Amino acid sequence: MRSPWFRAGPTLLLAILLVAPLGRAEDAGSARNPEDASRLERDDARQVELIRGAERAEREARPRDALALYREAAALAPGSRLARRARTRIDWLEARGGKSDGPLIELLRMQRLGPGELTAARLEAFEGKLAGFPPGPVRRAARALVAEAWLNRLDRPARAIPAFERWLEEPGVETAEWELATTELALARARLGNISGSVADLRAAGLGKRAETAFLELELLGRYGRPAALLLIVAFLAAALGSGWRGLGAGALARGLSPPRLALAGWLFAVPLAAARVHRPETWRAMLFIVPASAALLLVASVTGMALGDRARPSRRRLLTALGIAAQLAAVYLALDHTQVLLAILVNYRLH
């Protein structure tokens, strides 16, 4: 009986005979066209040089020079990734061009300013010129720059609010612009203390699923949730120390913190900590807060139980148990809130 390898021999030989000439043909084709390969390399290098020159022209507020360089780069190799990038910038610059390049040049110069160069006086002077800009994408982009600078770069939310409102009043505002301006306007009002009003505005505008809305909702919850959580933890510790730790003289501390108990607590908390580190790195920081806090609260509960023994009334035991569970949940909430994992959970829930 013939082996499978013997039966497959003719097929493999035929495949080798068919493929080998193709490989030789490709090698020969490559060898015959070294000039083509060299020309492609030169074109790629030239295209990169043109793109860099165009970007430099944009930074120097020379839109006409930038357009010319982008067009040359796009024509050099129309199907390349760099050509697509050049055409994107061409569309952006052409949409913002007009009879005069003055407004666009002013905008490009403002966009170049670094943190130390953008001052309130300079921003005010630029904002005062916007009424003279023709309506269109350039003026809207300038309004956006001014509003964002007041809010985030200069931290002046009171000045940012009217700037965002003027941006929203511009003719031809697109949907993406409207959503961004409305959201940033709500954040500016929230910085001045009106968090509940900002959340209501975003929900009324149909922007309740945005991450910024979730952030403001958690900030509103934190106003009451953080103090309440801390109060629960303090109440549990006070009740535990006041109710049960008078019996520590009888060796309750040694029994509550015995090696087997400590080893079990270490195992119960080391396993989820290691699992989070390996499988969910984004929750690692939260676990670093949750694990020590939970371990400490459990050990306090363990020692309290040992100190009380059988002398405590059932009602007191139930109260301490309820306070202990509430304190554990409060510690988890504080950890998730501090590390912003709670925000990520809420955003994912909204999106799905």
Side-chain angles (χ1 to χ4, degrees):
M1 181 178 179
R2 294 182 177 181
S3 69
W5 291 106
F6 182 81
R7 290 196 300 270
T11 304
L12 291 173
L13 180 60
L14 178 60
I16 292 170
L17 291 174
L18 289 173
V19 171
L22 293 176
R24 287 196 299 272
E26 289 179 0
D27 293 341
S30 300
R32 282 196 303 269
N33 297 307
E35 295 86 357
D36 291 346
S38 177
R39 180 176 55 78
L40 288 173
E41 289 179 4
R42 288 196 304 272
D43 288 350
D44 288 344
R46 175 60 179 160
Q47 199 172 36
V48 170
E49 182 182 353
L50 290 168
I51 292 289
R52 288 177 178 170
E55 291 173 345
R56 185 167 54 252
E58 280 197 76
R59 289 194 299 270
E60 295 171 357
R62 294 185 286 115
R64 291 185 182 276
D65 295 342
L67 263 174
L69 292 169
Y70 280 131
R71 285 169 179 156
E72 187 178 350
L76 193 61
S80 67
R81 177 182 57 84
L82 289 175
R84 291 192 296 272
R85 179 174 162 186
R87 284 193 292 271
T88 299
R89 296 308 301 163
I90 289 170
D91 293 341
W92 191 92
L93 290 168
E94 286 181 341
R96 286 153 181 80
K99 295 180 180 179
S100 171
D101 288 332
L104 179 57
I105 291 173
E106 291 269 5
L107 174 62
L108 293 174
R109 284 175 179 165
M110 287 297 294
Q111 289 176 338
R112 290 180 56 210
L113 296 179
E117 299 172 312
L118 183 63
T119 62
R122 200 164 192 172
L123 191 60
E124 283 177 349
F126 178 68
E127 189 175 15
K129 297 178 182 178
L130 298 188
F133 284 20
V138 172
R139 194 166 77 177
R140 294 203 308 271
R143 294 282 188 201
L145 183 148
V146 169
E148 187 276 333
W150 281 125
L151 180 62
N152 297 318
R153 299 183 66 179
L154 298 180
D155 196 20
R156 302 271 292 274
R159 292 296 304 269
I161 289 173
F164 280 115
E165 290 172 343
R166 283 190 287 270
W167 180 15
L168 286 167
E169 292 168 359
E170 284 288 326
V173 173
E174 298 177 355
T175 302
E177 292 179 77
W178 177 84
E179 290 183 358
L180 178 60
T182 303
T183 302
E184 293 288 314
L185 175 60
L187 291 176
R189 288 171 175 159
R191 284 199 198 178
L192 295 177
N194 189 14
I195 299 179
S196 58
S198 297
V199 171
D201 290 343
L202 288 173
R203 288 175 178 169
L207 301 174
K209 290 189 175 182
R210 289 183 67 95
E212 293 87 352
T213 308
F215 170 77
L216 292 178
E217 287 173 341
L218 289 179
E219 282 297 308
L220 191 60
L221 174 64
R223 282 186 170 184
Y224 310 99
R226 295 182 195 112
L230 289 172
L231 183 62
L232 279 172
I233 294 172
V234 171
F236 168 66
L237 293 175
L241 294 173
S243 299
W245 285 46
R246 288 190 300 271
L248 289 178
L253 182 60
R255 293 194 302 274
L257 301 178
S258 62
R261 285 175 178 265
L262 290 175
L264 179 60
W267 170 258
L268 289 175
F269 287 105
V271 169
L273 197 62
R277 179 65 173 171
V278 174
H279 299 292
R280 298 296 297 272
E282 67 275 11
T283 64
W284 170 248
R285 288 182 62 242
M287 293 298 290
L288 285 177
F289 285 89
I290 294 172
V291 168
S294 299
L297 291 172
L298 278 180
L299 290 175
V300 169
S302 173
V303 173
T304 302
M306 286 294 179
L308 282 173
D310 296 330
R311 60 187 174 84
R313 294 192 301 271
S315 59
R316 175 170 290 186
R317 284 185 173 277
R318 285 194 293 270
L319 175 62
L320 285 172
T321 300
L323 278 175
I325 293 172
Q328 286 278 355
L329 294 175
V332 171
Y333 162 72
L334 289 174
L336 294 176
D337 178 65
H338 178 71
T339 56
Q340 294 192 337
V341 173
L342 200 59
L343 176 61
I345 293 172
L346 183 57
V347 170
N348 287 333
Y349 171 76
R350 291 281 177 81
L351 293 176
H352 295 89

